[in-house]
Amino acid sequence: MAGGVWLSQNKTRPGAYINFVGVAKPSMTVGDRGVVAIPLALSWGATGELISVLSTELADGSSRKKVGFDAMDEKAKLLAGALSYCYKALVYRTNTGALKASAVLGGLKATAKYGGTFGNKIIVATESENGLYVVTTYIEGETVDTQKVSAISELENNDYVDFSQEVQSTQDETSGEVISTPIETISLTAGTALTGGTDGVVIEDYAPFLRQLRMSFWQTMVCFSNEVLVKKNICNFIKQLRDDEGRYVQGVVVDYDGADSEGIINSVSGAVIDGVEYSQTDFAAVVAGLCAGANFNESNTAREIKGATKIVGEMTDEEIKTALKNGKFLLSVSTSGKIKVEQDINSLHTFTKTKGYAFSKNRVIRTLDEIGTSTATTWEDTYMGKVDNDPTGRSLFKADLVEYGRELERLSGIQNFAGSDDVKISQGNDVDSVLVEWNVQPVDAMEKLYLTCRVKG
């Protein structure tokens, strides 16, 4: 790379301080990306934690037990948009104070596993069969659980309902003591709906979400807020993770002029996809999925948006040029009429000697992030505290770095790699530190064509 230093240092604890380095792990290439983090207001699901949802789960409907909808539900719009381009989402529920739906059937109490109005869709039916109770849980007419038991205590909680036993309280006439007696019978019913579920209130406090992200593995997060202060906080969060903690991740914000960083993608377009309108804010979910799912050796430039028929907030050619200069990620229409990503860039647009134009390209950043993430992981798993910091140990590390570099070159992540000549390794200032200097030249995709036609006389 002509000009540029990619440096992460966190000297508060042992770890990996990366400066264009790689690691002994050639298998750490394609397939280790594809996780997007997304905050959503939900009518079902766990609170205070990240909910893992695979794209396959959204497609086959098993996501319903986690977030209350599948791909066919209109509520799935944002999650489906993100998972159209990556394999997993870490969903954080942003509404608080949701109440759980419930129903009492004699001595049996059925309570929705999570708070939210989705719980009101749950129906529990009970019948008697050969001296046993048959307890069936339905979601919108579909059977999701059936159990045959002789007593309430034998019932097991399922993905949607927690079962408990009701008690009857009586007061002893002599002592005045309150005596609680379990109710053993279950009322028989063809179907009783759980009621009382509410969604609570949606809060725009990203702090709990960000705390969870610090402890999880992901590539790209999305911020839907239009509040300038929230966007600024997201930018600071990503910068801290990248610069101080060696976490090579990116964030997507919506139309934020204050963004000027390789770690932040500034999304400014919307689109109509398969007849569903994604506003400028909504489309940030799609952008986050695109960038999380792209491999380090591929670019999203000119990538067609599947099912898109219209751009929301379409720009003129001059507006596009200005937006690109200001580091904005946008959509345009190709000469064949397809809606595509104009250029796979992040928000960095103020270039310096240490961070030039190449650092504004997301494919370049993904390559550098791949190197940093794989290096840190393998350093901690294989070398840190396990290998002597002497010439022999450092030679082993260098050999692995060179091998990994050749694998990156084979996969078109970097080019013109000179092997051992491009990797220097030595003991650092401290007895337990290792200094690695690695010259790499990331590969980017062809994007600009300058054509000159000379007409023969």
Side-chain angles (χ1 to χ4, degrees):
M1 173 180 296
V5 176
W6 183 67
L7 181 63
S8 174
Q9 294 186 339
N10 174 12
K11 300 188 185 236
T12 61
R13 59 182 177 84
Y17 314 129
I18 312 302
N19 181 12
F20 281 163
V21 294
V23 72
K25 204 163 186 178
S27 61
M28 293 290 291
T29 53
V30 179
D32 293 299
R33 292 183 58 86
V35 183
V36 64
I38 181 170
L40 296 173
L42 301 174
S43 295
W44 184 256
T47 58
E49 63 184 73
L50 295 174
I51 308 168
S52 174
V53 181
L54 302 178
S55 59
T56 52
E57 292 175 328
L58 193 66
D60 66 21
S62 56
S63 60
R64 190 168 53 173
K65 63 186 178 185
K66 294 183 176 182
V67 292
F69 55 73
D70 57 26
M72 303 304 294
D73 196 308
E74 62 180 14
K75 293 182 179 179
K77 180 173 78 168
L78 297 179
L79 186 56
L83 287 177
S84 295
Y85 297 95
C86 60
Y87 85 95
K88 182 165 76 172
L90 299 180
V91 180
Y92 188 83
R93 191 174 180 183
T94 58
N95 41 325
T96 63
L99 299 179
K100 296 181 178 182
S102 64
V104 176
L105 299 86
L108 174 63
K109 184 174 183 179
T111 304
K113 183 172 289 292
Y114 306 115
T117 54
F118 179 82
N120 299 329
K121 298 181 180 181
I122 301 173
I123 293 177
V124 175
T126 58
E127 59 182 316
S128 178
E129 181 181 297
N130 299 324
L132 298 176
Y133 290 112
V134 181
V135 180
T136 304
T137 304
Y138 297 94
I139 302 292
E140 297 180 320
E142 178 186 347
T143 301
V144 294
D145 180 65
T146 300
Q147 300 181 53
K148 293 182 179 181
V149 297
S150 60
I152 295 173
S153 59
E154 296 176 5
L155 279 170
E156 296 182 356
N157 299 333
N158 59 48
D159 291 328
Y160 298 93
V161 176
D162 291 337
F163 296 108
S164 60
Q165 190 165 17
E166 289 285 275
V167 297
Q168 183 177 23
S169 297
T170 58
Q171 188 174 30
D172 187 277
E173 294 181 357
T174 303
S175 65
E177 180 183 358
V178 176
I179 301 173
S180 297
T181 305
I183 303 174
E184 300 293 346
T185 59
I186 300 177
S187 298
L188 303 183
T189 171
T192 298
L194 274 59
T195 60
T198 66
D199 290 339
V201 296
V202 178
I203 60 172
E204 201 168 70
D205 179 8
Y206 273 66
F209 177 41
L210 302 185
R211 282 196 294 271
Q212 292 293 322
L213 292 186
R214 286 187 182 278
M215 301 179 287
S216 304
F217 175 79
W218 49 279
Q219 281 77 48
T220 310
M221 67 155 292
V222 57
C223 171
F224 295 115
S225 176
N226 288 311
E227 295 294 327
V228 172
L229 181 59
V230 175
K231 296 178 187 180
K232 182 178 179 180
N233 288 340
I234 295 299
C235 292
N236 291 337
F237 172 73
I238 295 295
K239 178 177 174 58
Q240 183 183 36
L241 289 184
R242 295 184 65 88
D243 294 351
D244 299 337
E245 301 184 22
R247 295 283 304 281
Y248 303 107
V249 295
Q250 290 183 301
V252 179
V253 297
V254 181
D255 197 12
Y256 178 46
D257 290 336
D260 190 359
S261 165
E262 72 275 14
I264 296 294
I265 297 161
N266 189 11
S267 178
V268 298
S269 294
V272 175
I273 303 174
D274 294 326
V276 177
E277 181 171 323
Y278 284 74
S279 67
Q280 182 188 56
T281 299
D282 295 339
F283 194 73
V286 180
V287 175
L290 274 168
C291 294
N295 289 323
F296 73 92
N297 56 359
E298 67 176 339
S299 172
N300 283 320
T301 294
R303 185 168 185 173
E304 181 183 358
I305 302 301
K306 295 176 288 188
T309 55
K310 179 182 177 182
I311 297 174
V312 176
E314 187 173 1
M315 300 181 185
T316 65
D317 285 346
E318 286 303 314
E319 289 172 335
I320 289 174
K321 292 176 183 178
T322 300
L324 292 176
K325 288 180 180 178
N326 290 317
K328 297 184 178 182
F329 189 105
L330 56 93
L331 301 178
S332 63
V333 181
S334 69
T335 54
S336 60
K338 296 178 180 179
I339 294 175
K340 62 179 179 65
V341 175
E342 175 65 21
Q343 197 172 24
D344 190 5
I345 59 173
N346 52 62
S347 64
L348 183 68
H349 59 279
T350 303
F351 305 126
T352 64
K353 290 182 178 179
T354 55
K355 289 185 180 180
Y357 169 75
F359 283 78
S360 69
K361 307 304 294 296
N362 282 330
R363 173 172 169 172
V364 171
I365 295 302
R366 283 191 287 271
T367 296
L368 298 179
D369 289 355
E370 155 64 24
I371 293 171
T373 300
S374 293
T375 298
T377 299
T378 304
W379 166 261
E380 292 177 359
D381 291 347
T382 306
Y383 290 94
M384 183 177 169
K386 301 177 180 68
V387 178
D388 293 335
N389 189 10
D390 60 12
T392 300
R394 291 191 293 272
S395 293
L396 290 173
F397 190 31
K398 178 174 180 175
D400 284 340
L401 294 177
V402 171
E403 181 183 2
Y404 177 63
R406 295 197 187 284
E407 178 70 1
L408 287 178
E409 185 173 44
R410 185 186 72 80
L411 293 169
S412 298
I414 62 175
Q415 59 186 327
N416 300 322
F417 181 55
S420 294
D421 292 340
D422 272 340
V423 179
K424 296 180 181 179
I425 185 167
S426 59
Q427 182 171 322
N429 293 330
D430 299 321
V431 67
D432 56 359
S433 62
V434 176
L435 176 63
V436 176
E437 296 178 79
W438 187 6
N439 298 315
V440 298
Q441 184 180 359
V443 175
D444 197 11
M446 291 183 179
E447 293 186 2
K448 300 173 183 176
L449 172 64
Y450 300 94
L451 174 64
T452 300
C453 292
R454 290 187 172 84
V455 180
K456 294 181 179 180

